[in-house]
Amino acid sequence: MAEVLVYVDHVDGAVRKPTLELLTLARRIGEPVAVALGNGAADTAATLAEHGAVKVLTHDAAEYADYLVVPKVDALQAAYGAVSPAAVLVPSSAEGKEIAARLALRIGSGIITDAVDLEAGDEGPVATQSVFAASYSTKSRVSKGTPVITVKPNSAAVEAAPAAGAVEALSVTFSEKATGTKVTGRTPRESTGRPELTEAAIVVSGGRGVNGAENFAIIEALADSLGAAVGASRAAVDAGWYPHTNQVGQTGKSVSPQLYIASGISGAIQHRAGMQTSKTIVAVNKDAEAPIFELVDYGVVGDLFDVVPQLTEEIKARKG
Amino acid sequence: MSLRIVVTVKYVPDATGDRHFADDLTVDRDDVDGLLSELDEYAVEQALQIAEEADDAEVTVLTVGPEDAKDALRKALSMGADKAIHVEDDDLHGTDAIGTSLVLAKAVEKAGYDLVISGMASTDGVMGVVPALLAERLGVPQVTLLSEVSVEDGTVKGRRDGDAASEQLEASLPAVVSVTDQSGEARYPSFKGIMAAKKKPVESWDLSDLDLDAEEVGLEGAYTVVDAADERPARTAGTIVKDEGEGGKQLAEFLAGQKFI
Ligand SMILES: Cc1cc2nc3c(=O)[nH]c(=O)nc-3n(C[C@H](O)[C@H](O)[C@H](O)COP(=O)(O)OP(=O)(O)OC[C@H]3O[C@@H](n4cnc5c(N)ncnc54)[C@H](O)[C@@H]3O)c2cc1C
Ligand SMILES: Nc1ncnc2c1ncn2[C@@H]1O[C@H](COP(=O)(O)O)[C@@H](O)[C@H]1O
């Protein structure tokens, strides 16, 4: 059976959920061979093996942390050379897309970004994409070279599928260009204790209607009652009420949770672009004409300062 | 020595209008209103600011696109760019990201550059990969997705706010930079700017000017194929209730029914 290269997104050895989803998709096409780079690379092996990796290629070097993107492209290309895979799958983060694109160019292949589903096809893997702010769904294929495809978080279920997961050291020679862009400083994001926005099963978002940074406590309380991540519209972010890392939409994060709750958000096309593929959508807005209501499974026309705290209390009461 | 900045800008269908696919499953660019991709306005803005800081600089805006893409160039010129290059050729129809980066790389090289500035993503394709591809092709550093950027003494510095961390980046020129919508509001063209733009030079290049063959670009040269594009079925109309004092509880009831509580 053909091998499929899977690029591993991990933080110091802790594998992030979208990579496990990639393993599920990779198994539809062939045998997953994982590539883990940087600090803690070898620590990823056990988790990757549990989810279907037949092999885990690892390599660590200071270059991965000290220089932008290119060292990782060099390593992925080395893995590609070692394995000759049927496809290369990469998680659709900003960095993942850049790595995938440069690899595709180097190996003379086409690239598809932001797939939301992947199936095996007669002429290679078929990717489903959601385009024009999710108003269209497309099926596409790479027609030249080895398909390089990046996949969005929450595109498949994480499945246990124990495999050998044999760790092999990858041999990497960095290119001359690897050290072109130096990382001179790094401030890790502070953990909020809440789930990662793109990975969360439930997202609770607030917009301009929240009307102030301090009022976001109402949104956070609802999120915490549901174990959810917190999102924000660009209007709320631009006003300085919530960090940009939490922005949902075209220029923020694209989310696809089981449940999305929008409060005080009108539902502009750029916001919809980042949340329209959510399974269940709920909104609270005092304007019955707000476009967000066109998307909802359940909507409450009302003041969020009344509705949201009542909802939070009720959830807490029901959960006991 | 003059600092030569080339800004890559894309002409895209208006996101607030009705966007669709043409019969050959390419993005329909004929029957829709188009404009300069809003995310590329941020690139023009940063280019103008960097040029204002430098003693001597020239800002060229470059687009690859159909006839109407001139509108995008005009807008950038009226914001303050000095000149424009329009790469236009019938054989470009259907070019994908790999092909676009090839055409842009050839054009940038022909124009001459110290710094290329791109937007974070185009608002139609939203791939966010062309700047990285361009850097790979040109063999120069990629300093992308910056929410803050500055150029001094032949070095570009910037801040990239990533998922896990915020990084400070640094590279020597020449380099390819892309900026996000957090980099600073783009200016509005002034009346004077709009008038001045009419007299600014716009060069037109076709594939032969760039020593490119038709087979390398367009639908034929594309590395990807779209087999189907279907309009997503409208979401089934949901239940909408007016809050009469029990809205939160009603919502909780719905969520419990869906097993979220
Ligand atoms: C290139 C580009 C990229 C963009 N990218 C993004 C993006 O990534 N994400 C994004 O979100 N936007 C993005 N936008 C902006 C987008 O167009 C909208 O401006 C933005 O989404 C509006 O945010 P909002 O819904 O919070 O605010 P508004 O549109 O002002 O809506 C606020 C809503 O709150 C309601 N409200 C007010 N008070 C209350 C109350 N007490 N109780 C209940 N409801 C109340 C109002 O009825 C209204 O519907 C982008 C725009 C451009 C041009
Ligand atoms: N046809 C084009 N002409 C000029 N610039 C482009 C074109 N396509 C993409 N770009 C540039 O590349 C950036 C990222 O585009 P994309 O990778 O398509 O999302 C855009 O913001 C533009 O700066």
CSV table of all heavy atoms in Angstrom, one decimal, chain A residues 98 102 106 134-135 137 139-141 143-144 181-182 184-187 189 234 251 276 279 295 297 299 301 310 318, chain B residues 42 127 136 142 144 160 162-164 166-168 170 181-182 221 223 225 227-228 230 232 235 239 241 243 245 248 253:
chain,number,residue,atom,x,y,z
A,98,GLU,N,2.3,27.6,4.2
A,98,GLU,CA,3.5,28.1,3.6
A,98,GLU,C,4.5,27.0,3.3
A,98,GLU,O,5.2,26.9,2.3
A,98,GLU,CB,4.1,29.2,4.5
A,98,GLU,CG,3.3,30.5,4.5
A,98,GLU,CD,3.9,31.6,5.4
A,98,GLU,OE1,4.7,31.3,6.3
A,98,GLU,OE2,3.6,32.8,5.1
A,102,ARG,N,5.7,25.7,-0.5
A,102,ARG,CA,7.1,25.7,-1.0
A,102,ARG,C,7.6,24.3,-1.3
A,102,ARG,O,8.3,24.1,-2.3
A,102,ARG,CB,8.0,26.4,0.1
A,102,ARG,CG,7.7,27.9,0.3
A,102,ARG,CD,8.7,28.5,1.2
A,102,ARG,NE,10.0,28.7,0.7
A,102,ARG,CZ,10.8,29.7,0.8
A,102,ARG,NH1,10.3,30.8,1.5
A,102,ARG,NH2,11.9,29.8,0.3
A,106,ARG,N,8.9,22.9,-5.0
A,106,ARG,CA,10.2,22.3,-5.2
A,106,ARG,C,10.1,20.9,-5.8
A,106,ARG,O,11.0,20.5,-6.6
A,106,ARG,CB,10.8,22.0,-3.8
A,106,ARG,CG,11.4,23.3,-3.2
A,106,ARG,CD,12.1,23.0,-1.9
A,106,ARG,NE,12.5,24.2,-1.2
A,106,ARG,CZ,13.3,24.1,-0.1
A,106,ARG,NH1,13.7,23.0,0.4
A,106,ARG,NH2,13.6,25.3,0.5
A,134,ALA,N,-17.9,30.0,2.2
A,134,ALA,CA,-18.7,28.8,2.4
A,134,ALA,C,-20.0,28.8,1.6
A,134,ALA,O,-20.9,28.0,1.9
A,134,ALA,CB,-18.9,28.5,3.9
A,135,SER,N,-20.2,29.6,0.6
A,135,SER,CA,-21.4,29.5,-0.2
A,135,SER,C,-21.3,28.4,-1.3
A,135,SER,O,-22.3,28.0,-1.8
A,135,SER,CB,-21.8,30.9,-0.8
A,135,SER,OG,-20.7,31.4,-1.6
A,137,SER,N,-19.2,24.6,-2.4
A,137,SER,CA,-18.4,23.5,-2.1
A,137,SER,C,-17.8,23.0,-3.3
A,137,SER,O,-18.5,22.7,-4.3
A,137,SER,CB,-19.3,22.5,-1.4
A,137,SER,OG,-18.6,21.3,-1.1
A,139,LYS,N,-15.0,20.2,-5.4
A,139,LYS,CA,-14.1,19.0,-5.4
A,139,LYS,C,-13.0,19.3,-6.3
A,139,LYS,O,-13.2,19.6,-7.5
A,139,LYS,CB,-14.9,17.8,-5.9
A,139,LYS,CG,-16.2,17.5,-5.1
A,139,LYS,CD,-16.0,16.3,-4.2
A,139,LYS,CE,-17.3,16.0,-3.6
A,139,LYS,NZ,-17.2,15.7,-2.1
A,140,SER,N,-11.8,19.1,-5.8
A,140,SER,CA,-10.6,19.3,-6.7
A,140,SER,C,-9.5,18.3,-6.5
A,140,SER,O,-9.5,17.5,-5.5
A,140,SER,CB,-10.1,20.7,-6.6
A,140,SER,OG,-10.1,21.2,-5.3
A,141,ARG,N,-8.6,18.2,-7.4
A,141,ARG,CA,-7.5,17.3,-7.4
A,141,ARG,C,-6.3,18.0,-7.8
A,141,ARG,O,-6.3,18.9,-8.6
A,141,ARG,CB,-7.8,16.2,-8.5
A,141,ARG,CG,-8.7,15.1,-8.2
A,141,ARG,CD,-8.8,14.2,-9.4
A,141,ARG,NE,-9.4,14.8,-10.6
A,141,ARG,CZ,-8.8,14.9,-11.8
A,141,ARG,NH1,-7.6,14.6,-11.9
A,141,ARG,NH2,-9.4,15.5,-12.8
A,143,SER,N,-3.3,17.7,-10.3
A,143,SER,CA,-3.2,17.0,-11.6
A,143,SER,C,-1.7,16.8,-12.0
A,143,SER,O,-1.5,16.1,-13.0
A,143,SER,CB,-4.0,17.7,-12.6
A,143,SER,OG,-3.6,19.1,-12.6
A,144,LYS,N,-0.8,17.4,-11.3
A,144,LYS,CA,0.6,17.2,-11.7
A,144,LYS,C,1.4,16.9,-10.4
A,144,LYS,O,1.3,17.6,-9.4
A,144,LYS,CB,1.2,18.5,-12.3
A,144,LYS,CG,0.7,18.7,-13.7
A,144,LYS,CD,1.3,19.9,-14.3
A,144,LYS,CE,0.6,20.3,-15.6
A,144,LYS,NZ,0.8,21.7,-16.0
A,181,THR,N,15.6,34.1,7.1
A,181,THR,CA,14.8,34.9,8.0
A,181,THR,C,15.0,34.4,9.4
A,181,THR,O,14.5,33.4,9.8
A,181,THR,CB,13.3,34.7,7.6
A,181,THR,OG1,13.2,35.0,6.2
A,181,THR,CG2,12.4,35.7,8.3
A,182,LYS,N,15.6,35.3,10.2
A,182,LYS,CA,15.9,35.0,11.6
A,182,LYS,C,14.8,35.3,12.5
A,182,LYS,O,14.2,36.4,12.4
A,182,LYS,CB,17.2,35.8,12.0
A,182,LYS,CG,17.9,35.2,13.2
A,182,LYS,CD,19.3,35.8,13.3
A,182,LYS,CE,19.9,35.5,14.7
A,182,LYS,NZ,19.7,34.1,15.1
A,184,THR,N,14.2,36.6,15.9
A,184,THR,CA,15.1,37.2,16.9
A,184,THR,C,14.4,37.3,18.3
A,184,THR,O,15.1,37.6,19.3
A,184,THR,CB,15.5,38.6,16.5
A,184,THR,OG1,14.2,39.4,16.2
A,184,THR,CG2,16.3,38.6,15.2
A,185,GLY,N,13.1,37.0,18.3
A,185,GLY,CA,12.5,37.0,19.6
A,185,GLY,C,11.2,36.2,19.5
A,185,GLY,O,10.6,36.1,18.5
A,186,ARG,N,10.7,35.6,20.7
A,186,ARG,CA,9.5,34.9,20.6
A,186,ARG,C,8.8,35.1,22.0
A,186,ARG,O,9.3,34.8,23.0
A,186,ARG,CB,9.8,33.4,20.4
A,186,ARG,CG,8.5,32.5,20.4
A,186,ARG,CD,8.8,31.1,20.1
A,186,ARG,NE,9.0,30.9,18.6
A,186,ARG,CZ,10.2,30.4,18.1
A,186,ARG,NH1,11.2,30.2,18.9
A,186,ARG,NH2,10.3,30.3,16.8
A,187,THR,N,7.5,35.5,21.9
A,187,THR,CA,6.7,35.6,23.1
A,187,THR,C,5.6,34.6,23.0
A,187,THR,O,4.7,34.8,22.2
A,187,THR,CB,6.1,37.0,23.2
A,187,THR,OG1,7.1,38.0,22.8
A,187,THR,CG2,5.6,37.3,24.6
A,189,ARG,N,2.2,32.7,23.5
A,189,ARG,CA,0.9,33.1,23.9
A,189,ARG,C,0.5,32.6,25.3
A,189,ARG,O,0.8,31.4,25.6
A,189,ARG,CB,-0.1,32.6,22.9
A,189,ARG,CG,-1.3,33.5,22.7
A,189,ARG,CD,-1.9,33.4,21.4
A,189,ARG,NE,-1.1,33.8,20.2
A,189,ARG,CZ,-0.6,35.0,20.1
A,189,ARG,NH1,-0.7,35.9,21.0
A,189,ARG,NH2,0.1,35.3,19.0
A,234,ARG,N,-14.4,40.9,14.2
A,234,ARG,CA,-13.4,41.9,14.0
A,234,ARG,C,-13.7,43.2,14.6
A,234,ARG,O,-12.8,43.9,15.1
A,234,ARG,CB,-13.1,42.1,12.5
A,234,ARG,CG,-12.1,43.2,12.2
A,234,ARG,CD,-11.5,43.0,10.9
A,234,ARG,NE,-11.1,44.3,10.4
A,234,ARG,CZ,-10.7,44.5,9.1
A,234,ARG,NH1,-10.6,43.5,8.3
A,234,ARG,NH2,-10.3,45.7,8.7
A,251,THR,N,-10.2,37.1,8.1
A,251,THR,CA,-8.8,37.5,8.4
A,251,THR,C,-8.5,37.0,9.8
A,251,THR,O,-7.5,37.5,10.4
A,251,THR,CB,-8.5,39.0,8.3
A,251,THR,OG1,-9.6,39.7,9.0
A,251,THR,CG2,-8.6,39.4,6.8
A,276,GLN,N,-19.3,29.6,9.0
A,276,GLN,CA,-20.5,29.2,8.3
A,276,GLN,C,-20.6,27.6,8.2
A,276,GLN,O,-21.7,27.1,8.0
A,276,GLN,CB,-20.6,29.8,6.9
A,276,GLN,CG,-22.0,29.7,6.3
A,276,GLN,CD,-22.2,30.8,5.3
A,276,GLN,OE1,-21.4,31.7,5.1
A,276,GLN,NE2,-23.3,30.7,4.5
A,279,LYS,N,-21.6,23.1,12.6
A,279,LYS,CA,-22.7,22.2,12.5
A,279,LYS,C,-24.0,22.8,13.0
A,279,LYS,O,-25.0,22.9,12.3
A,279,LYS,CB,-22.4,20.9,13.3
A,279,LYS,CG,-21.1,20.2,13.0
A,279,LYS,CD,-21.0,19.7,11.6
A,279,LYS,CE,-19.6,19.1,11.3
A,279,LYS,NZ,-18.5,20.2,11.4
A,295,LEU,N,-28.6,32.2,9.2
A,295,LEU,CA,-27.8,31.0,9.3
A,295,LEU,C,-28.2,30.1,10.4
A,295,LEU,O,-27.8,29.0,10.5
A,295,LEU,CB,-26.3,31.4,9.6
A,295,LEU,CG,-25.6,32.3,8.6
A,295,LEU,CD1,-24.2,32.5,9.2
A,295,LEU,CD2,-25.5,31.6,7.3
A,297,ASP,N,-29.7,27.8,13.5
A,297,ASP,CA,-30.7,26.7,13.8
A,297,ASP,C,-31.6,27.2,14.9
A,297,ASP,O,-32.7,26.8,15.0
A,297,ASP,CB,-29.9,25.5,14.3
A,297,ASP,CG,-29.0,25.0,13.2
A,297,ASP,OD1,-29.5,24.4,12.3
A,297,ASP,OD2,-27.7,25.2,13.3
A,299,GLY,N,-32.4,31.0,17.1
A,299,GLY,CA,-32.0,32.4,17.3
A,299,GLY,C,-32.9,33.1,18.4
A,299,GLY,O,-34.1,32.8,18.4
A,301,VAL,N,-34.1,36.8,19.5
A,301,VAL,CA,-34.1,38.2,19.3
A,301,VAL,C,-34.2,38.9,20.7
A,301,VAL,O,-35.3,38.8,21.3
A,301,VAL,CB,-35.3,38.7,18.4
A,301,VAL,CG1,-35.2,40.2,18.2
A,301,VAL,CG2,-35.2,37.9,17.0
A,310,GLN,N,-28.7,34.7,31.6
A,310,GLN,CA,-29.8,33.7,31.9
A,310,GLN,C,-29.4,32.3,31.4
A,310,GLN,O,-29.6,31.3,32.1
A,310,GLN,CB,-31.1,34.2,31.4
A,310,GLN,CG,-32.3,33.4,31.8
A,310,GLN,CD,-33.6,33.9,31.2
A,310,GLN,OE1,-33.8,33.8,30.0
A,310,GLN,NE2,-34.5,34.4,32.1
A,318,ARG,N,-28.6,23.1,35.1
A,318,ARG,CA,-28.9,21.8,34.5
A,318,ARG,C,-27.7,20.9,34.7
A,318,ARG,O,-27.9,19.7,34.8
A,318,ARG,CB,-29.2,21.9,33.0
A,318,ARG,CG,-30.6,22.5,32.7
A,318,ARG,CD,-30.8,22.7,31.2
A,318,ARG,NE,-32.0,23.3,31.0
A,318,ARG,CZ,-33.0,22.8,30.3
A,318,ARG,NH1,-32.9,21.5,29.9
A,318,ARG,NH2,-34.2,23.4,30.2
B,42,TYR,N,-3.7,47.0,2.5
B,42,TYR,CA,-2.7,47.0,3.7
B,42,TYR,C,-1.3,47.0,3.2
B,42,TYR,O,-0.4,47.6,3.8
B,42,TYR,CB,-3.0,45.9,4.7
B,42,TYR,CG,-4.4,46.0,5.3
B,42,TYR,CD1,-5.5,45.4,4.8
B,42,TYR,CD2,-4.6,46.8,6.4
B,42,TYR,CE1,-6.7,45.5,5.4
B,42,TYR,CE2,-5.8,47.0,7.0
B,42,TYR,CZ,-6.9,46.3,6.5
B,42,TYR,OH,-8.2,46.4,7.1
B,127,MET,N,-5.8,31.6,-0.3
B,127,MET,CA,-4.9,30.6,0.0
B,127,MET,C,-3.8,31.1,0.9
B,127,MET,O,-3.3,30.3,1.8
B,127,MET,CB,-4.2,30.1,-1.4
B,127,MET,CG,-5.2,29.4,-2.3
B,127,MET,SD,-4.4,28.8,-3.8
B,127,MET,CE,-3.5,27.4,-3.1
B,136,GLU,N,10.2,31.6,-2.5
B,136,GLU,CA,10.9,30.4,-3.0
B,136,GLU,C,11.5,30.5,-4.4
B,136,GLU,O,12.6,30.2,-4.7
B,136,GLU,CB,9.9,29.2,-2.9
B,136,GLU,CG,10.5,27.9,-3.4
B,136,GLU,CD,11.4,27.2,-2.5
B,136,GLU,OE1,11.3,27.3,-1.2
B,136,GLU,OE2,12.4,26.5,-3.0
B,142,GLN,N,11.7,35.0,3.1
B,142,GLN,CA,10.3,35.2,3.2
B,142,GLN,C,10.0,35.8,4.6
B,142,GLN,O,10.4,35.2,5.6
B,142,GLN,CB,9.6,33.9,3.0
B,142,GLN,CG,8.4,33.6,3.9
B,142,GLN,CD,7.8,32.3,3.8
B,142,GLN,OE1,8.3,31.4,3.0
B,142,GLN,NE2,6.7,32.1,4.5
B,144,THR,N,6.9,36.9,6.3
B,144,THR,CA,5.4,37.0,5.9
B,144,THR,C,4.5,37.1,7.1
B,144,THR,O,4.9,36.8,8.3
B,144,THR,CB,5.0,35.7,5.1
B,144,THR,OG1,5.5,34.6,5.8
B,144,THR,CG2,5.5,35.8,3.7
B,160,ARG,N,5.4,38.8,13.7
B,160,ARG,CA,4.5,37.8,13.1
B,160,ARG,C,3.7,37.2,14.3
B,160,ARG,O,4.3,36.5,15.1
B,160,ARG,CB,5.3,36.8,12.3
B,160,ARG,CG,4.5,35.5,11.9
B,160,ARG,CD,5.3,34.8,10.9
B,160,ARG,NE,4.8,33.4,10.7
B,160,ARG,CZ,4.7,32.8,9.5
B,160,ARG,NH1,4.8,33.5,8.4
B,160,ARG,NH2,4.3,31.6,9.4
B,162,GLY,N,1.8,34.5,15.5
B,162,GLY,CA,1.4,33.1,15.1
B,162,GLY,C,0.4,32.5,16.1
B,162,GLY,O,0.0,33.2,17.1
B,163,ASP,N,0.0,31.3,15.9
B,163,ASP,CA,-0.9,30.6,16.7
B,163,ASP,C,-0.3,30.4,18.1
B,163,ASP,O,-1.0,30.6,19.1
B,163,ASP,CB,-1.1,29.1,16.2
B,163,ASP,CG,-2.3,29.1,15.3
B,163,ASP,OD1,-3.0,30.1,15.2
B,163,ASP,OD2,-2.5,28.0,14.7
B,164,ALA,N,0.9,30.0,18.2
B,164,ALA,CA,1.5,29.6,19.5
B,164,ALA,C,2.3,30.7,20.1
B,164,ALA,O,2.5,30.8,21.3
B,164,ALA,CB,2.3,28.4,19.4
B,166,SER,N,4.1,35.0,19.4
B,166,SER,CA,4.3,36.1,18.6
B,166,SER,C,5.9,36.2,18.4
B,166,SER,O,6.6,36.2,19.3
B,166,SER,CB,3.9,37.3,19.4
B,166,SER,OG,3.9,38.5,18.6
B,167,GLU,N,6.3,36.3,17.1
B,167,GLU,CA,7.7,36.2,16.8
B,167,GLU,C,8.2,37.5,16.2
B,167,GLU,O,7.5,38.2,15.4
B,167,GLU,CB,8.0,35.1,15.8
B,167,GLU,CG,7.7,33.7,16.3
B,167,GLU,CD,7.7,32.6,15.2
B,167,GLU,OE1,7.3,32.9,14.1
B,167,GLU,OE2,8.0,31.5,15.5
B,168,GLN,N,9.4,37.9,16.6
B,168,GLN,CA,10.1,39.0,15.9
B,168,GLN,C,11.0,38.4,14.8
B,168,GLN,O,11.8,37.5,15.1
B,168,GLN,CB,11.0,39.7,17.0
B,168,GLN,CG,10.3,40.4,18.1
B,168,GLN,CD,9.4,41.5,17.7
B,168,GLN,OE1,9.6,42.2,16.7
B,168,GLN,NE2,8.4,41.8,18.5
B,170,GLU,N,13.6,39.0,11.3
B,170,GLU,CA,14.6,39.9,10.7
B,170,GLU,C,15.2,39.2,9.4
B,170,GLU,O,15.5,38.0,9.5
B,170,GLU,CB,15.7,40.2,11.7
B,170,GLU,CG,16.5,41.4,11.4
B,170,GLU,CD,17.5,41.6,12.6
B,170,GLU,OE1,17.1,41.8,13.7
B,170,GLU,OE2,18.7,41.6,12.3
B,181,ASP,N,-4.0,42.4,8.1
B,181,ASP,CA,-4.9,43.5,8.3
B,181,ASP,C,-4.7,44.2,9.7
B,181,ASP,O,-5.4,45.1,10.0
B,181,ASP,CB,-6.4,43.1,8.0
B,181,ASP,CG,-6.8,42.1,9.0
B,181,ASP,OD1,-6.0,41.3,9.6
B,181,ASP,OD2,-8.0,42.0,9.3
B,182,GLN,N,-3.8,43.6,10.4
B,182,GLN,CA,-3.5,44.3,11.7
B,182,GLN,C,-2.3,45.3,11.6
B,182,GLN,O,-1.9,45.9,12.6
B,182,GLN,CB,-3.1,43.2,12.7
B,182,GLN,CG,-4.1,42.2,13.0
B,182,GLN,CD,-5.3,42.8,13.8
B,182,GLN,OE1,-5.1,43.3,14.9
B,182,GLN,NE2,-6.5,42.8,13.2
B,221,GLY,N,-1.7,25.0,-17.9
B,221,GLY,CA,-0.5,24.8,-17.1
B,221,GLY,C,-0.8,24.6,-15.7
B,221,GLY,O,0.1,24.4,-14.9
B,223,TYR,N,-1.7,23.1,-12.0
B,223,TYR,CA,-1.3,21.9,-11.3
B,223,TYR,C,-2.5,21.3,-10.6
B,223,TYR,O,-2.3,20.3,-9.9
B,223,TYR,CB,-0.2,22.2,-10.3
B,223,TYR,CG,1.2,22.5,-11.0
B,223,TYR,CD1,1.4,23.6,-11.7
B,223,TYR,CD2,2.2,21.5,-10.9
B,223,TYR,CE1,2.7,23.8,-12.3
B,223,TYR,CE2,3.4,21.7,-11.4
B,223,TYR,CZ,3.7,22.9,-12.2
B,223,TYR,OH,4.9,23.1,-12.8
B,225,VAL,N,-7.0,20.7,-10.6
B,225,VAL,CA,-8.2,20.7,-11.4
B,225,VAL,C,-9.4,20.8,-10.5
B,225,VAL,O,-9.4,20.0,-9.5
B,225,VAL,CB,-8.5,19.4,-12.2
B,225,VAL,CG1,-9.2,19.7,-13.5
B,225,VAL,CG2,-7.2,18.6,-12.4
B,227,ASP,N,-13.1,19.7,-10.3
B,227,ASP,CA,-14.0,18.8,-11.0
B,227,ASP,C,-15.4,19.2,-10.8
B,227,ASP,O,-16.3,18.9,-11.6
B,227,ASP,CB,-13.8,17.3,-10.5
B,227,ASP,CG,-12.5,16.8,-11.0
B,227,ASP,OD1,-12.1,17.1,-12.2
B,227,ASP,OD2,-11.8,16.0,-10.3
B,228,ALA,N,-15.7,19.8,-9.6
B,228,ALA,CA,-17.1,20.2,-9.4
B,228,ALA,C,-17.2,21.4,-8.4
B,228,ALA,O,-16.3,21.5,-7.6
B,228,ALA,CB,-17.9,19.0,-8.7
B,230,ASP,N,-20.4,23.2,-6.4
B,230,ASP,CA,-21.8,23.2,-6.1
B,230,ASP,C,-22.1,24.2,-5.1
B,230,ASP,O,-21.5,24.4,-4.1
B,230,ASP,CB,-22.2,21.8,-5.6
B,230,ASP,CG,-22.0,20.8,-6.7
B,230,ASP,OD1,-22.5,21.0,-7.8
B,230,ASP,OD2,-21.3,19.8,-6.4
B,232,ARG,N,-23.7,25.6,-2.0
B,232,ARG,CA,-24.1,24.9,-0.8
B,232,ARG,C,-25.6,25.1,-0.6
B,232,ARG,O,-26.1,26.2,-0.7
B,232,ARG,CB,-23.3,25.5,0.4
B,232,ARG,CG,-23.5,24.9,1.7
B,232,ARG,CD,-22.7,25.6,2.8
B,232,ARG,NE,-21.3,25.3,2.6
B,232,ARG,CZ,-20.8,24.2,3.3
B,232,ARG,NH1,-21.5,23.5,4.1
B,232,ARG,NH2,-19.5,24.0,3.1
B,235,ARG,N,-29.0,26.9,4.4
B,235,ARG,CA,-29.3,26.2,5.7
B,235,ARG,C,-30.8,26.2,5.9
B,235,ARG,O,-31.5,27.2,5.6
B,235,ARG,CB,-28.6,27.0,6.8
B,235,ARG,CG,-27.1,26.8,6.8
B,235,ARG,CD,-26.5,27.5,8.0
B,235,ARG,NE,-26.5,26.7,9.2
B,235,ARG,CZ,-25.5,26.0,9.6
B,235,ARG,NH1,-24.4,26.0,9.0
B,235,ARG,NH2,-25.6,25.3,10.8
B,239,THR,N,-35.3,28.0,14.1
B,239,THR,CA,-36.4,28.6,15.0
B,239,THR,C,-35.9,29.9,15.5
B,239,THR,O,-34.7,30.0,16.0
B,239,THR,CB,-36.6,27.6,16.2
B,239,THR,OG1,-36.8,26.3,15.7
B,239,THR,CG2,-37.8,28.1,17.0
B,241,VAL,N,-36.9,33.0,18.2
B,241,VAL,CA,-37.9,33.4,19.2
B,241,VAL,C,-37.5,34.8,19.7
B,241,VAL,O,-36.4,35.2,19.6
B,241,VAL,CB,-37.9,32.4,20.5
B,241,VAL,CG1,-38.3,31.0,20.1
B,241,VAL,CG2,-36.5,32.4,21.1
B,243,ASP,N,-37.2,37.3,22.8
B,243,ASP,CA,-37.0,37.2,24.2
B,243,ASP,C,-38.1,38.0,24.9
B,243,ASP,O,-38.3,39.2,24.8
B,243,ASP,CB,-35.7,37.8,24.6
B,243,ASP,CG,-35.4,37.8,26.1
B,243,ASP,OD1,-35.9,36.8,26.8
B,243,ASP,OD2,-34.8,38.7,26.7
B,245,GLY,N,-38.3,37.5,28.3
B,245,GLY,CA,-37.9,37.3,29.6
B,245,GLY,C,-37.4,35.9,29.9
B,245,GLY,O,-36.8,35.6,30.9
B,248,GLY,N,-33.2,33.2,27.5
B,248,GLY,CA,-32.0,32.4,27.8
B,248,GLY,C,-32.4,30.9,28.2
B,248,GLY,O,-31.7,30.0,27.8
B,253,GLU,N,-33.0,25.2,26.6
B,253,GLU,CA,-33.8,24.0,26.3
B,253,GLU,C,-33.4,23.4,25.0
B,253,GLU,O,-33.3,22.2,24.8
B,253,GLU,CB,-35.3,24.5,26.3
B,253,GLU,CG,-36.3,23.4,26.1
B,253,GLU,CD,-36.3,22.3,27.2
B,253,GLU,OE1,-36.0,22.7,28.4
B,253,GLU,OE2,-36.5,21.1,26.9
